[in-house]
Amino acid sequence: MTADDQARLDRRLLMLPATPKDGAMTRDVLWRAGIETEICESVRMVAAEVQRGAAAVILPEEAIGSASRVLALVIAQQAPWSDLPVLVLTRQGADSADASLAVSALGNVTLLERPLRVSTFVSTVRTALRARERQYQIRRQLEELRDADQRKDEFLATLGHELRNPLSPLLTSLELLKPSATAEPTLSRLVGVMQRQATHLVRLVDDLLEVSRITRGLIEVQRDPVELAEILAAAAETSRPVIEASEHRLIVDVPDEPLIVLGDSVRLTQVFANLLNNAAKYTDPGGTIELLVRHTRHTAFVSVRDNGIGIEREHLSSVFDMFTQVSRSDRRTQGGLGIGLTLVRSLVALHGGSVTASSEGRGRGSTFEVRLPLAVVETHPSPAPSVHKGFAGCRVLVVDDNQDATETMQTLLESLGATVAAAGNGREALAQFEAFEPNAVLLDIGMPGMDGYEVARRIRKLPAGAATPLIAVTGWGQQEDIRRCFDAGFDHHLVKPVDVDRLWELIVGGAGQTIN
Ligand code: ADP
């Protein structure tokens, strides 16, 4: 159905007359006032037509009764913007049982007592149609807002992806500069500053990407049995630099018995690290932060409490909304985007839990409590962390159309003992693969001409390519991209910027198929 067809349906005034004669007469009166009516033969028909679209409905009181239940149902299911006007023509003395049933069941009801002056009737119908027109305007605005919101989400995803690409060679270059900078204190300090700032940028970009994935429903969390105490220890470790920088005291009170959550350890660590970081950030130096766990048989309650600036009551619920910062002028909110708590709430919800904020008010500290369902499962011992021992003896082919990215990766791997060949596009990559015979390939996905998926497929068809580890190195880390990578024959999927220890695990340490 075209938009015009729908608009025509939406403008209809539906009428169920008491008698055919009544119908003809009323239609005539309205027609003379320039209003068209569509006659329905039963309440059931009115209900069906309302579902297709209607501006208002005229019913006689006689039609209200058990048959009107179906219409009441349709009206109850209206979209939130919709409040269909229903005009009920009553018999004299509008306090009958049917009239009050109509008022309670049919929503936006106007009772009109017969006999009725024509002018009153026409003006009431006009008012109803006008009110309906306003509702359609609101519907249009809501649709526009939804479209704009969707475009914003898509923009954030693209922005995040595009920002990641230049960050990758920047960080790798800084890593390379570090050893030669140690002899020169000023240079070493500057490299340190650049590394910290670039890492901060990576974190902001990651948050942006994450939040845009969540809003577009693209995030999936793993459901592995994980021990809560381990997650909290990892989160405390992540936040330690921020807590120590402000000389806060961190008090941890976690029960001895193992509490198992079915979840994604990386995501859950992110949740608690975010809360601890905020506690550190929004508390004046020398404060106290407490990380406490209570539990029942089925639920764990993790509280992150601080004695910092606190949150006023009216802001308590909105702090979880996207881009919300209680006081933008506060120096402390700078360096953030107001999406940390949005991420916390979404990630906790993906684990079947919830999070609440409480505070006695300004200057009285804040408490964030996360509730997570507990599982009763055996834990598996976690694998020992790998020790990075260099890439001596490895022949690595690096493929990326971004020359800075290939060059810095090549220099980094060479400085760690690998022999490296580089290619800037798909064709070169295939030629190099045969000439160089690498024992691992790092392959960018988004390249002009032949993309990384196609290169992987073609390498897999070469006699020497069947068993060579193929590692996708991309800016895109969504489930769909990862699935496409594995379908194309990749063994591993890494998101830029690549962590060199992780790369070592994959190339030298012999890890199985992984996503990172
Ligand atoms: P950001 O910290 O990047 O501004 P968040 O989403 O993490 O974004 O937090 C949103 C807002 O909630 C912050 O700007 C701050 O005003 C408030 N807030 C968060 N945590 C605390 C806390 N522990 N104490 C006081 N205010 C807080």
Side-chain angles (χ1 to χ4, degrees):
M1 188 186 308
T2 67
D4 281 350
D5 290 342
Q6 186 60 57
R8 200 179 47 73
L9 291 177
D10 286 346
R11 277 197 302 271
R12 293 180 308 167
L13 170 63
L14 304 176
M15 176 169 60
L16 173 63
T19 62
K21 199 172 132 221
D22 245 13
M25 217 170 71
T26 317
R27 188 159 64 172
D28 210 36
V29 165
L30 290 172
W31 186 78
R32 264 183 273 133
I35 301 168
E36 273 194 63
T37 23
E38 199 166 305
I39 304 280
C40 296
E41 277 149 22
S42 63
V43 182
R44 220 162 255 290
M45 187 172 164
V46 174
E49 290 304 321
V50 163
Q51 275 182 309
R52 296 176 64 216
V57 172
I58 303 175
L59 295 175
E61 181 187 6
E62 299 86 315
I64 316 286
S66 59
S68 62
R69 200 164 323 139
V70 54
L71 180 59
L73 216 65
V74 168
I75 286 178
Q77 286 166 356
Q78 294 176 93
W81 56 265
S82 174
D83 194 18
L84 180 75
V86 178
L87 309 182
V88 176
L89 302 174
T90 65
R91 289 177 287 244
Q92 246 167 2
D95 48 2
S96 74
D98 286 345
S100 39
L101 181 69
V103 173
S104 64
L106 301 179
N108 181 7
V109 173
T110 307
L111 297 176
L112 296 170
E113 192 177 305
R114 287 174 295 199
L116 196 62
R117 280 171 66 133
V118 168
S119 57
T120 313
F121 179 56
V122 169
S123 72
T124 313
V125 169
R126 279 222 174 90
T127 308
L129 295 178
R130 216 183 122 102
R132 188 62 169 165
E133 197 43 55
R134 292 287 295 180
Q135 294 171 21
Y136 289 145
Q137 275 172 17
I138 292 172
R139 177 179 62 180
R140 273 195 296 280
Q141 282 164 359
L142 283 174
E143 284 164 356
E144 281 165 19
L145 279 176
R146 209 187 39 225
D147 289 350
D149 195 43
Q150 200 175 332
R151 279 199 302 277
K152 179 213 70 194
D153 286 342
E154 280 157 15
F155 169 75
L156 286 182
T158 315
L159 178 72
H161 175 234
E162 291 304 323
L163 288 176
R164 236 186 185 152
N165 278 333
L167 281 173
S168 192
L170 255 180
L171 271 171
T172 317
S173 306
L174 287 170
E175 188 68 34
L176 282 166
L177 270 180
K178 220 162 53 176
S180 34
T182 40
E184 178 79 53
T186 317
L187 194 57
S188 176
R189 198 167 45 80
L190 291 180
V191 168
V193 169
M194 287 193 275
Q195 261 188 326
R196 274 194 301 282
Q197 299 301 322
T199 310
H200 184 59
L201 263 178
V202 170
R203 220 173 28 242
L204 289 178
V205 168
D206 281 350
D207 276 0
L208 258 187
L209 276 174
E210 197 93 305
V211 105
S212 81
R213 270 181 225 137
I214 285 182
T215 47
R216 290 179 306 149
L218 293 175
I219 264 208
E220 287 168 33
V221 291
Q222 310 220 16
R223 289 295 192 141
D224 297 324
V226 287
E227 214 184 295
L228 193 56
E230 282 178 20
I231 304 268
L232 297 179
E237 192 51 41
T238 309
S239 305
R240 203 161 55 143
V242 191
I243 295 174
E244 282 181 355
S246 292
E247 296 179 345
H248 296 311
R249 199 155 62 102
L250 176 65
I251 299 170
V252 180
D253 186 0
V254 180
D256 287 335
E257 73 249 57
L259 299 176
I260 308 297
V261 175
L262 272 190
D264 192 314
S265 56
V266 175
R267 303 288 192 202
L268 287 172
T269 306
Q270 196 181 355
V271 164
F272 295 109
N274 258 337
L275 294 177
L276 287 169
N277 280 347
N278 276 352
K281 198 156 95 174
Y282 297 108
T283 299
D284 289 334
T288 303
I289 299 168
E290 290 169 277
L291 180 60
L292 313 169
V293 179
R294 291 180 299 119
H295 69 101
T296 60
R297 227 164 86 78
H298 296 291
T299 314
F301 303 84
V302 185
S303 308
V304 178
R305 181 179 301 162
D306 62 58
N307 61 350
I309 65 168
I311 304 170
E312 275 146 14
R313 184 184 293 273
E314 66 262 34
H315 294 129
L316 276 176
S317 55
S318 63
V319 289
F320 294 102
D321 295 341
M322 205 188 297
F323 307 129
T324 295
Q325 298 188 311
V326 172
S327 164
R328 264 180 213 282
S329 55
D330 190 318
R331 171 183 54 78
R332 283 173 270 228
T333 57
Q334 283 152 25
L337 298 170
I339 51 186
L341 289 179
T342 313
L343 271 178
V344 165
R345 185 177 55 184
S346 311
L347 291 175
V348 169
L350 285 172
H351 284 87
S354 61
V355 55
T356 49
S358 56
S359 170
E360 302 271 295
R362 199 145 259 290
R364 317 270 303 264
S366 315
T367 303
F368 286 81
E369 185 179 77
V370 176
R371 292 169 181 229
L372 285 171
L374 287 173
V376 187
V377 237
E378 293 294 315
T379 42
H380 304 293
S382 53
S386 71
V387 187
H388 170 5
K389 303 182 197 77
F391 291 79
C394 294
R395 299 172 65 76
V396 185
L397 173 60
V398 179
V399 187
D400 200 317
D401 62 320
N402 179 331
Q403 204 184 338
D404 283 346
T406 37
E407 267 179 29
T408 48
M409 186 52 82
Q410 176 165 16
T411 320
L412 178 67
L413 289 174
E414 280 173 354
S415 74
L416 295 167
T419 309
V420 180
N425 60 50
R427 295 212 174 278
E428 240 179 75
L430 291 171
Q432 283 279 25
F433 186 85
E434 295 203 88
F436 178 64
E437 296 183 354
N439 50 17
V441 183
L442 297 188
L443 195 47
D444 180 34
I445 297 292
M447 293 187 290
M450 195 189 302
D451 66 11
Y453 299 122
E454 186 55 28
V455 178
R457 271 191 288 271
R458 293 202 191 186
I459 289 181
R460 283 291 179 237
K461 287 197 192 120
L462 297 172
T468 313
L470 297 184
I471 304 170
V473 178
T474 86
W476 297 105
Q478 289 153 14
Q479 289 299 321
E480 176 57 18
D481 308 307
I482 294 166
R483 194 189 53 72
R484 283 187 68 191
C485 276
F486 290 144
D487 286 351
F490 280 99
D491 298 290
H492 309 288
H493 179 280
L494 296 183
V495 173
K496 291 175 183 175
V498 170
D499 173 37
V500 68
D501 290 333
R502 187 74 193 119
L503 210 52
W504 183 88
E505 280 173 14
L506 302 184
I507 297 179
V508 189
Q513 196 174 62
T514 52
I515 301 167
N516 212 351

